[in-house]
Amino acid sequence: MNTTTRISTAERLGRSIGRGWRAYARGERRVSNWLVSKGVPVAGATVLLWVVKLAVLGVLLYSAFWLALLLVCVVAVGWAANQSHSDEEFHLQFPTTLEELRETPGYDPNLYNDTSHEMYKDDD
């Protein structure tokens, strides 16, 4: 039996997210201190950082909106394509055989070069 304790995947993920958050906070403090060292008031540096955060949030929300709209369109197109009719409901618009063609109203054998029809007239 092994006596060393192993951390779970969830704990490992939590630790890495925590390290990332601390690195972000450290970088934000560094930028704030740099702005103050360049002569920007502390309140101005704080406001500027919040403006940048809100701008990034706005860009993310804008991108998420268009991706969601694209997803909705893809789902709608898929739904419309799925609304197919069965073969029993499908009816051909045009006759499939010569006999069906001859039974259509206004049939003229000369237009179809139907030489076997009794009403066919040769132009000779």
Side-chain angles (χ1 to χ4, degrees), residues 3-45:
T3 58
T4 54
T5 307
R6 296 179 187 224
I7 63 171
S8 66
T9 305
E11 187 177 354
R12 191 175 301 122
L13 179 64
R15 286 183 181 186
S16 65
I17 290 173
R19 279 192 303 269
W21 181 257
R22 284 191 307 271
Y24 167 75
R26 209 171 26 248
E28 187 175 319
R29 256 191 326 265
R30 189 179 311 137
V31 168
S32 178
N33 291 336
W34 178 78
L35 286 172
V36 169
S37 72
K38 295 298 181 188
V40 178
V42 175

Side-chain angles (χ1 to χ4, degrees), residues 37-100:
S37 72
K38 295 298 181 188
V40 178
V42 175
T46 304
V47 168
L48 185 63
L49 287 174
W50 272 103
V51 166
V52 169
K53 288 179 195 179
L54 290 175
V56 168
L57 180 65
V59 168
L60 288 174
L61 289 175
Y62 181 78
S63 301
F65 168 77
W66 284 110
L67 285 174
L69 187 66
L70 180 66
L71 179 67
V72 167
C73 290
V74 167
V75 168
V77 167
W79 177 79
N82 195 23
Q83 298 297 318
S84 62
H85 301 288
S86 65
D87 291 338
E88 296 169 355
E89 296 176 13
F90 184 71
H91 177 52
L92 289 176
Q93 186 177 1
F94 300 105
T96 56
T97 63
L98 187 59
E99 287 76 27
E100 289 178 5

